[in-house]
Amino acid sequence: MSKKRVAIFGGTFDPPHLGHFILAEQIVNRFDLNEVIFMPAGRPPHKKNKDISPDFIRFSMLKLAVDNNKNFLLSDWELKNDGYSYTAKTLAQFVPQLDAEEVFFIIGADSLAEIFKWKEPEYLLSEGKFIVFNRYGYNFEDILSQPKYLPYLDNILTYQGLNIEISSSFIRSEIKKNKSIRYLTLDRIAEYIMENNLYR
């Protein structure tokens, strides 16, 4: 039986930024994980009406980050799947393929607060395990003290760590204004964005 502890970190990553990578590295440290699998979403259901960069662009930017970290992996599983990228589908179909003793999903406190609006929330919370990081304006105690969360508390771990308030939307906005994005993402990702004239 594998002794590996793995976490899946999903998102649009459009573009990925230092906040993502700092958070993932700190969660590896805090929860003694062997790997974090970055999994860019193909068609996120909560962003149906928003323009998202092509799959290969987002995948390529993440690859520039994970290639230099032995604890970071990259999966195109959701990108290759038809239909919307539901976490319930990933839990049912992707997680069983992993050679790991424990698999967690990394989500923010904002997502935890909304999780009962997700597809199959009871299945997710009973069969999945979550590492939830703090978000400005959200309080773990306030969320988890609600009765609907009580049956699932054993599957929800909280991480009160560094709050890196960088957002992909801020980076896109700065690029549109012709401003520097230095120190907001990795240099190699910033170079890729400029070379491919993204977010103009």
Side-chain angles (χ1 to χ4, degrees):
M1 178 67 184
S2 173
K3 299 289 187 191
K4 284 202 304 189
R5 289 161 58 86
V6 175
I8 297 169
F9 193 1
T12 47
F13 301 110
D14 195 19
H17 54 68
L18 281 186
H20 293 131
F21 306 129
I22 291 170
L23 175 67
E25 185 76 2
Q26 292 303 307
I27 285 177
V28 166
N29 293 343
R30 169 67 179 78
F31 295 98
D32 196 25
L33 302 179
N34 301 97
E35 297 166 354
V36 170
I37 302 171
F38 286 81
M39 185 173 287
R43 296 178 65 202
H46 60 293
K47 297 188 177 180
K48 290 179 183 177
N49 299 317
K50 294 186 179 178
D51 287 331
I52 298 173
S53 296
D55 295 352
F56 78 93
I57 293 279
R58 295 180 291 120
F59 188 85
S60 297
M61 287 189 286
L62 278 171
K63 194 169 189 311
L64 293 170
V66 306
D67 278 354
N68 288 339
N69 188 322
K70 65 181 175 57
N71 298 119
F72 289 178
L73 298 177
L74 180 57
S75 173
D76 60 359
W77 188 84
E78 285 192 359
L79 295 179
K80 287 183 170 178
N81 259 267
D82 293 332
Y84 289 112
S85 299
Y86 291 112
T87 304
K89 184 197 278 188
T90 306
L91 174 59
Q93 298 179 19
F94 178 77
V95 168
Q97 302 175 23
L98 294 175
D99 175 29
E101 183 178 19
E102 284 189 285
V103 180
F104 302 90
F105 288 92
I106 299 172
I107 64 171
D110 53 334
S111 294
L112 180 65
E114 297 286 313
I115 201 164
F116 283 92
K117 297 178 182 175
W118 290 19
K119 188 179 180 67
E120 301 180 59
E122 290 83 6
Y123 165 69
L124 275 177
L125 289 165
S126 61
E127 299 302 319
K129 294 184 178 181
F130 293 84
I131 295 172
V132 187
F133 59 90
N134 52 307
R135 284 279 206 191
Y136 180 77
Y138 291 86
N139 183 289
F140 288 136
E141 200 172 311
D142 290 346
I143 297 168
L144 295 175
S145 63
Q146 296 174 51
K148 61 187 176 182
Y149 290 92
L150 296 182
Y152 310 112
L153 294 183
D154 287 348
N155 289 341
I156 301 171
L157 306 180
T158 58
Y159 172 70
Q160 191 77 38
L162 293 169
N163 225 324
I164 311 294
E165 291 296 326
I166 302 173
S167 71
S168 299
S169 59
F170 177 76
I171 293 175
R172 295 194 302 269
S173 172
E174 291 298 277
I175 292 170
K176 279 181 182 169
K177 292 185 283 192
N178 228 19
K179 303 292 186 184
S180 166
I181 58 166
R182 194 176 186 187
Y183 308 123
L184 294 175
T185 188
L186 299 177
D187 288 345
R188 62 187 79 96
I189 291 176
E191 288 163 8
Y192 181 93
I193 289 169
M194 298 308 159
E195 286 167 5
N196 291 278
N197 201 31
L198 303 180
Y199 311 120
R200 296 291 181 184

